[in-house]
Amino acid sequence: MPSLQLFGCWRSSASHRLQIGLRLKQLAFTYTPVCLDRGEQHSGWYVALNPRAEVPTLLVDGEPWVQTLAILETLEETLDGQSDALLPSSKKERWICRAIAEHVNSSLQPLLLPARLRQPILNAGRHLGPTLAAALQTGVRHHQLDALDSLNSWLDSLPGPFCIGTRPTLADVFVIPHLEAARRLGLDLSPFTRLNALHIQCLSLAAFAAAAPEQQPDAPGQNETSSASTR
Ligand SMILES: N[C@@H](CCC(=O)N[C@@H](CS)C(=O)NCC(=O)O)C(=O)O
């Protein structure tokens, strides 16, 4: 098995995905926090691992891998039969899982408009004053609620209790961290009954419970250690 070192941040939904994926695959890894609030992602040692200054990065036998979808797909492919599968066996279900993961990866998570996207927009429209910040916030909330509504309907058309069927897949690995990020943003997700039932179902599994943001050593109130061996 490869040696795996995860560099992440407790409040990063992308780090959260990787945590869940590695745990579902029952792969042992160590965790090293990178504090986004202190800007540690821009420090020289970290940019040498991840030139985009983003978390997470996974060191695989000492080599830095980035982008959670690519990382999990490659582990799935290369450890075929040696670790628990994140993709179902049927071709159609594999496509659906990948489509849901991609929907979160490209249409939902980046459009939460993190500070590094929001700030240049606010700078460019400085003359508009607080109106622009309020408009951006409204736009983000509207887009997220609309996209989550369509995701909820999509999942309603699929067999549960997980995103697709009776086992967690790559789709759940991507959806659950986004639900938690949306809640941290203060969005009201109560109308999305399928998503809420899915969330409860996933949290009943040890892999999801142990990967929860508040369980990480760098979360507020936790006793931070630089590296925790985990599975
Ligand atoms: N598509 C990337 C997303 C990575 C990403 O957006 N990471 C965020 C945290 S969730 C980040 O590091 N942002 C840098 C910052 O806030 O400065 C992946 O799946 O790994």
Side-chain angles (χ1 to χ4, degrees):
M1 282 296 167
S3 118
L4 302 176
Q5 285 176 267
L6 168 59
F7 291 79
C9 176
W10 73 276
R11 66 167 179 81
S12 148
S13 65
S15 304
H16 189 186
R17 292 173 192 164
L18 200 46
Q19 285 253 358
I20 298 170
L22 295 176
R23 289 172 190 277
L24 283 174
K25 292 187 82 52
Q26 304 211 48
L27 295 170
F29 63 95
T30 62
Y31 177 70
T32 303
V34 177
C35 182
L36 294 180
D37 294 330
R38 287 198 298 266
E40 223 180 332
Q41 69 276 30
H42 299 291
S43 58
W45 71 269
Y46 188 71
V47 173
L49 295 180
N50 187 325
R52 295 258 308 130
E54 287 179 344
V55 289
T57 300
L58 187 69
L59 284 193
V60 181
D61 290 331
E63 187 181 19
W65 289 16
V66 299
Q67 293 292 348
T68 51
L69 192 53
I71 294 170
L72 289 170
E73 287 257 20
T74 307
L75 289 175
E76 181 83 352
E77 192 180 283
T78 53
L79 299 177
D80 184 29
Q82 298 171 64
S83 68
D84 290 9
L86 292 179
L87 287 168
S89 50
S90 102
K91 186 167 63 180
K92 182 170 179 192
E93 290 186 347
R94 290 166 89 87
W95 160 69
I96 293 172
C97 281
R98 288 177 160 126
I100 293 172
E102 182 53 28
H103 177 62
V104 174
N105 194 38
S106 60
S107 308
L108 279 166
Q109 187 255 347
L111 295 176
L112 281 173
L113 229 50
R116 75 206 136 105
L117 274 179
R118 192 180 299 250
Q119 205 50 54
I121 300 173
L122 291 175
N123 291 345
R126 205 177 296 120
H127 57 287
L128 296 171
T131 322
L132 178 59
L136 274 182
Q137 196 60 11
T138 304
V140 166
R141 295 172 82 87
H142 178 83
H143 167 73
Q144 292 292 325
L145 290 173
D146 194 49
L148 285 166
D149 188 38
S150 83
L151 178 60
N152 191 71
S153 304
W154 190 359
L155 297 191
D156 257 341
S157 71
L158 301 171
F162 291 98
C163 279
I164 175 158
T166 54
R167 292 188 45 209
T169 64
L170 191 68
D172 304 280
V173 167
F174 275 68
V175 169
I176 296 305
H178 193 75
L179 295 183
E180 299 199 6
R183 285 219 172 99
R184 282 197 295 279
L185 194 73
L187 294 180
D188 174 16
L189 306 188
S190 57
F192 309 129
T193 50
R194 172 72 160 95
L195 289 173
N196 289 323
L198 171 73
H199 197 186
I200 293 168
Q201 176 70 25
C202 286
L203 283 182
S204 71
L205 298 186
F208 285 86
E214 64 277 9
Q215 296 301 322
Q216 304 316 307
D218 52 330
Q222 294 283 0
N223 210 356
E224 184 169 331
T225 54
S226 64
S227 184
S229 184
T230 184
R231 173 127 76 173

